[in-house]
Every structure is written in C-alpha cells, then in structure tokens.
Amino acid sequence: MPATSLDQVVSLAKRRGFIFPSSEIYGGLQGVFDYGPLGVELKNNIMQDWWRANVYERDDMEGLDAAILMNRLVWKYSGHEETFVDPMVDCRNCKSRWRADQIHGQCPNCGSADLTEPRPFNMMFKTAVGPIADADAFAYLRPETAQGIFVNFANVLSTTSRKLPFGIAQIGKGFRNEINPRNFLFRVREFDMLEIEYFVMPGTEDEWHQRWLDDRLRWWASIGVSRERIQVYDVPKADLAHYSKRTFDLMYNYPTLGYQEIEGIASRSDFDLGSHSKDQDSLGLSARVSPNSHSTTRLTYFDPTSNKHVVPFVVEPSAGVGRCFLAVLCEAYDEQMVKPPADEKLAAVSDALAAYLKSAGKSEKISAEARDALVARGEAIATDLPSALPQVESLLAMVGADQIELGKKLRGQAQPLTDEHFRTVLHLRPRLAPIKAAVFPLKRNHEGLVSLAKGIRKSLQSGGRMRAVYDDTGAIGKLYRRQDEIGTPFCLTVDFQSLEDQTVTVRDRDTMAQERVLVAELQGYLEERLV
Ligand code: ATP
C-alpha cells in the first residue's frame, strides 16, 4: 500500500538522507532543498530514465542543455516579463503574504478576511551579469528550460537536418520566486525540470497532443506511478493562455495534498517560435504575438513537399523532477507487518495513545488548528491498530506534537513494538533504487568473510554499472531493515558456506525470499533483475 500521509515520506526522506533543507545550519532558506546521498541517486536515476525513454528510445528526438542565464530579450519576447505573474495579497492583520488564488479570501495564518486587493507579482529571480550592475547587466534566472529550446530551434535544425515532426528534450534547473513555497518538494523556488518541445506541421497538432498524452502516461506507469492515481484534467478553454489550443494537466493524487499537477502537456500553436522570430509579418502566424524588433533569425522550417517555409506548431510536455521524486516515493512507500504483536503489548500502546490524545485535546500549548489535526490523525491511527502502529512516529513529528505531555511515554511503548514487528520498505522500481545491492559479512570480525564481501561490493560497482554498498554495522536482520527502508532491491550475505562453495545468499526486498547464487554469476543475476 502506498503512503497514506505525506508526513511518512517527509520523515523517511529526512531521516535517511534523501533530502535536507538548504543551508540548514544557518536556519535554512525557505522553499529550497538539497538532495542528500540517497536523494541524488534517486533523482539522477529518474532523470536518466526520462532521458532514455524520450531521447534514446525514440528516433524523433534530440537533446539540449541550454544555459540558465540568457539574454533578457528572451523573457521580453516570450511574454514572461509581462505575464509570468501570480496574484499576491497581504493580510492586513498579521502582515503575511499569500497567493490570492490559493487561499479563498481568508488568511491561512490568522484567519482574517482583511486582505489587500490582489496585485501581480512577477516570479522571475533577477540578477546582474558582469561587474557593472547597470541596465545592460540585468538578467533573470530562467523560470523554465523551454525558452532555451525555442531560441536554439534554428541551431538544432541546421546542425541535425531533422525533418518535422521532431522534438528537443532538455533537463535543467528552473527558478521561480514562489510567493508561498510549501508542501516539501511540491512547491519550491529552485527545481529541476523535464521538458520537451515537439515541433509538428500545422494541422497535425491535435493528433500529436493526444499521442504525447498517451506516451507520457505510459512513462509514469513505467516508473511505478500508478495510472489509478493520475487524473487527466482537460483545462477549460476559459483558463487557457490565448495562444494555447488545449492543455492536459496530469494530476497526481498525493497523500494529504490530494490531486495536484505533476505534469502539463500543452498544445501551444506557433506562438513560441513566432514570438522569437524575425520578419513576423511574412510568416502567416496563427497566434497573436508581440512585434519582435530584435531577433536576427527567422524560426521557420522549409517543407520540401509544399516548397514553403512554415512555422512549426509546438506540443510541450513539461514536468518537475521534485514532484516526480515525491510521487515515486509516495507510491513506493510501504509499512508491512512482518508478524503480529502480542495482544497485551498492543493494548499498552492503545492506552498510551488514548492518554496522549486526551492530553492533546486539552492542551493550550499549541494552536487550535494544530490540536485538531493532531487529534484527528491520532484517532485515525487508534482505529487502525495494529497496522497503523508505525504511523505513531510521524504523529509525534507533527507540528506542536512535542509540546504534549505523555509523548515520550507513547513513543516508548510504540517504537520497540514497531521495530520488532514492522518493516518500512520502498518498493521502488529496481532501476530507480539509489542502491542496487548491499553486501554483508555474516561476522564482521572474520577476515575471510569480510574480504570476500568487500571484494564482491567492489566488483559489482566497478565500471559504474551499479551502486553497491558494504555494511557490517549490525545483525543481518537489522541490516535488511535498513536497506528495505531505502529501497535496495537486493541484499547479499556472505557466510561460511560462501568460503567453501563461492555462493552467497541473495535476499529479495519485496518477497524477502532468499536463494544462493554463485559469486561468479552475481553480476548477470542482478543486472537481469534491475529493470
Ligand atoms: P502550478 O500551477 O502548480 O504553479 P504551473 O502550471 O505554473 O504549476 P508549469 O509552468 O506548467 O507549472 O511547470 C511545469 C511543471 O513544473 C509542473 O507540472 C510541475 O511539475 C513543475 N513545477 C512548477 N512549479 C513548481 C514549483 N514551484 N516547485 C516544484 N515544481 C514545480
């Protein structure tokens, strides 16, 4: 079963080093996160998988890596200077700032309805290029990678001799000065984007839009994001930008957050290439564009069939890596009962939980809102024991929960029972898992076992074929749990039999089944299963 609350995933991601708050030792920076040792592996694996599926496994795509800093005119003619804005309001009571379209007329901080009129706030970060900060030095950090593709359209076309339809894929950082970053990786100010601009003959865009929708849904399923939890939202005409013919938003059902956009697939007409092109008047554009007096290049394609220059139409699938990372973790997350706890031990947890919630319900130490959320969550856990036992830990990590008396006592009852009877496991697709194999010696003070185990780890990892680790810091059972929790698909144990017959025990993360495999055959055995 996937995660039932975002807290479970947030807590695991922090505890095990997937994600750290940026500049944490100085109090952090709001809306910015760092990917830790496991996070960077998972993130890289996701990005590589997207690249493989969209560039290597298709024959109509090229790749690109454009710079983050660009000439300011890019953002003038793309329309971002004028329209990349969110409506901002101030709460006159507590002075906080919000995005007007997300708060339903009431300040989420203090509840006041005394808000200013919404005014546009441009989300692009500004900087200066070079040592003299005058008007010529002014630049933006890109809020999307797409514009780097459009302004390189003619370069890619002339250096690759591509014919329509074809696409350009790019992975890179985007920066948005979000008014209210929140929900962990979901809304941040710096993030990686997965973007494709697919160029088609005018008149064929509807067909290609549909094909990309199907293709992208297949990819999401292939990385383990269930089709059941994705809804396709056909954005109503009234909500579309003037140049957009149609947009499908893929909405993923995140625990706690509900359905939220994970990818947008937009049919953008000839707006983008037309906006950045010179000689616009002679191009017969269908989109309404601002007159461009700066571009040096006509962004057209010569169609050999009609002997005419045309401005291709664009279909754009665009997703954020962070939202994808979060969805992959939520899907993979599982808390499994390995064996049921004894009745009397469970009763002790129930009593401690009831006492804790009673105290929480009366506590003056936290806000009414936090108290209600805490009690509601605790009651849900109470009715779902023993299977909800591992969730006690994330209950105790909720805002203000540590202010409640009896929290220590509850943890003292719940934690040992959870450790003994449950395992947290990430059922990641093996090819996405940060670590593919963990190698353990049965005894850490036996030289033969240790050196064989270390040798296996080294040979598995040589040539960069897979990430493998060696661990001897606990009993085997504990080491298994540690790897389950981070999604390592295979654990290899070197025991005394290994020294005799050159086999090791390979234990499968999902089934927990074990089999003996010859050391000489390990590489092939694992690679076959890392799909
Ligand atoms: P939203 O309406 O949620 O602000 P958007 O419609 O502005 O998103 P797009 O401009 O379509 O988003 O960006 C493409 C993708 O980039 C989104 O589908 C999302 O996955 C990701 N993305 C956008 N903004 C953020 C953000 N602040 N933090 C993390 N990912 C983001």
Side-chain angles (χ1 to χ4, degrees):
M1 203 174 93
T4 48
S5 120
L6 201 61
D7 295 340
Q8 293 172 309
V9 170
V10 173
S11 143
L12 172 67
K14 292 187 172 163
R15 187 169 74 241
R16 295 305 309 271
F18 282 87
I19 300 292
F20 306 124
S22 161
S23 348
E24 194 175 11
I25 63 166
Y26 290 110
L29 179 65
Q30 220 202 344
V32 188
F33 290 93
D34 298 338
Y35 287 76
L38 297 174
V40 63
E41 299 288 342
L42 175 57
K43 184 172 94 153
N44 283 344
N45 292 342
I46 289 172
M47 296 193 301
Q48 269 166 23
D49 200 75
W50 182 91
W51 193 265
R52 180 188 51 73
N54 289 294
V55 183
Y56 298 168
E57 289 183 359
R58 299 179 61 110
D59 47 22
D60 54 353
M61 295 287 292
E62 298 288 346
L64 181 76
D65 183 13
I68 289 169
L69 296 172
M70 303 173 90
N71 190 309
R72 178 183 184 174
L73 292 172
V74 171
W75 306 107
K76 171 181 165 70
Y77 289 110
S78 70
H80 282 76
E81 279 198 331
E82 209 171 310
T83 60
F84 197 64
V85 292
D86 272 341
M88 181 167 71
V89 293
D90 289 330
C91 169
R92 289 201 181 90
N93 182 44
C94 72
K95 311 290 177 224
S96 57
R97 281 198 162 154
W98 304 97
R99 223 175 102 174
D101 57 333
Q102 288 178 342
I103 63 167
H104 313 296
Q106 207 182 20
C107 173
N109 188 40
C110 70
S112 164
D114 188 8
L115 306 172
T116 60
E117 281 301 303
R119 58 197 186 285
F121 172 74
N122 194 302
M123 289 195 289
M124 287 194 289
F125 282 98
K126 301 166 186 71
T127 187
V129 177
I132 304 164
D134 60 9
D136 289 343
F138 186 91
Y140 296 106
L141 300 186
R142 67 179 178 197
E144 59 174 38
T145 72
Q147 298 304 321
I149 299 181
F150 298 131
V151 301
N152 275 298
F153 173 75
N155 289 335
V156 174
L157 193 61
S158 67
T159 51
T160 62
S161 321
R162 282 283 180 182
K163 304 271 172 284
L164 288 191
F166 78 97
I168 303 176
Q170 178 164 224
I171 299 178
K173 293 269 188 200
F175 302 83
R176 298 185 185 184
N177 199 2
E178 296 279 354
I179 299 169
N180 281 126
R182 57 188 172 164
N183 296 329
F184 197 43
L185 300 177
F186 182 80
R187 187 170 301 284
V188 290
R189 289 182 167 140
E190 172 180 339
F191 53 100
D192 297 272
M193 302 184 80
L194 307 164
E195 295 203 293
I196 292 166
E197 304 303 329
Y198 196 77
F199 303 101
V200 305
M201 284 300 276
T204 64
E205 65 277 9
D206 292 347
E207 178 198 335
W208 280 105
H209 195 206
Q210 186 63 46
R211 280 171 75 160
W212 273 107
L213 171 64
D214 297 341
D215 206 77
R216 296 299 304 137
L217 286 169
R218 263 195 303 278
W219 182 75
W220 284 106
S222 81
I223 61 164
V225 178
S226 163
R227 181 67 186 87
E228 284 156 44
R229 276 179 289 278
I230 293 183
Q231 270 178 9
V232 179
Y233 178 62
D234 195 345
V235 180
K237 277 240 153 8
D239 298 342
L240 292 174
H242 63 86
Y243 50 81
S244 177
K245 275 196 76 176
R246 197 173 179 190
T247 294
F248 300 126
D249 282 346
L250 306 190
M251 313 291 285
Y252 175 70
N253 192 4
Y254 289 95
T256 311
L257 308 181
Y259 283 98
Q260 301 287 343
E261 179 181 328
I262 194 165
E263 172 161 12
I265 306 171
S267 180
R268 300 177 58 93
S269 75
D270 52 9
F271 174 78
D272 305 286
L273 293 179
S275 293
H276 287 303
S277 189
K278 79 166 188 180
D279 297 343
Q280 288 164 318
D281 291 345
S282 67
L283 302 178
L285 293 174
S286 81
R288 183 159 42 85
V289 298
S290 305
N292 190 324
S293 55
H294 288 92
S295 172
T296 58
T297 306
R298 208 176 285 124
L299 301 182
T300 54
Y301 168 82
F302 180 72
D303 175 25
T305 325
S306 64
N307 265 343
K308 280 197 178 127
H309 290 273
V310 294
V311 179
F313 272 37
V314 164
V315 174
E316 177 193 73
S318 165
V321 178
R323 289 187 191 181
C324 175
F325 185 99
L326 200 52
V328 164
L329 283 181
C330 290
E331 287 278 336
Y333 190 91
D334 194 9
E335 283 163 354
Q336 281 181 343
M337 190 155 59
V338 185
K339 55 178 177 176
D343 288 346
E344 66 278 8
K345 288 201 174 154
L346 198 59
V349 174
S350 271
D351 292 348
L353 179 59
Y356 176 80
L357 293 177
K358 202 167 159 199
S359 156
K362 286 194 259 167
S363 174
E364 308 260 293
K365 292 182 186 157
I366 54 175
S367 72
E369 202 185 334
R371 198 164 59 212
D372 291 349
L374 196 62
V375 172
R377 182 81 202 287
E379 281 171 353
I381 292 172
T383 55
D384 199 17
L385 286 175
S387 62
L389 193 59
Q391 293 177 37
V392 170
E393 198 46 47
S394 51
L395 176 80
L396 293 170
M398 283 175 76
V399 178
D402 54 350
Q403 312 261 339
I404 311 293
E405 314 290 336
L406 304 172
K408 260 200 192 126
K409 188 155 179 222
L410 173 59
R411 177 175 281 128
Q413 294 287 355
Q415 199 155 37
L417 216 55
T418 306
D419 289 349
E420 195 184 333
H421 295 271
F422 284 81
R423 66 170 189 149
T424 301
V425 50
L426 287 184
H427 300 288
L428 294 169
R429 289 286 188 274
R431 68 181 190 281
L432 298 184
I435 292 163
K436 310 302 187 202
V439 193
F440 315 136
L442 188 64
K443 280 191 172 349
R444 72 169 147 193
N445 49 11
H446 188 286
E447 224 198 282
L449 297 180
V450 168
S451 81
L452 181 55
K454 285 188 172 166
I456 291 172
R457 201 239 12 129
K458 195 161 183 202
S459 80
L460 286 178
Q461 199 165 256
S462 70
R465 279 189 294 249
M466 69 180 77
R467 184 99 170 100
V469 296
Y470 168 89
D471 195 356
D472 64 8
T473 57
I476 300 292
K478 193 167 156 209
L479 298 180
Y480 281 159
R481 298 285 167 88
R482 217 185 267 165
Q483 296 298 328
D484 287 346
E485 198 181 44
I486 59 170
T488 306
F490 298 104
C491 288
L492 281 41
T493 305
V494 174
D495 55 18
F496 291 104
Q497 189 183 328
S498 310
L499 300 177
E500 282 160 26
D501 65 4
Q502 290 294 305
T503 65
V504 294
T505 308
V506 179
R507 182 250 194 196
D508 181 284
R509 174 196 69 195
D510 298 331
T511 62
M512 295 188 271
Q514 305 188 5
E515 62 178 315
R516 293 203 79 95
V517 178
L518 274 169
V519 174
E521 290 171 3
L522 268 177
Q523 185 89 37
Y525 176 96
L526 296 178
E527 276 174 7
E528 204 175 290
R529 288 162 178 78
L530 292 174
V531 289

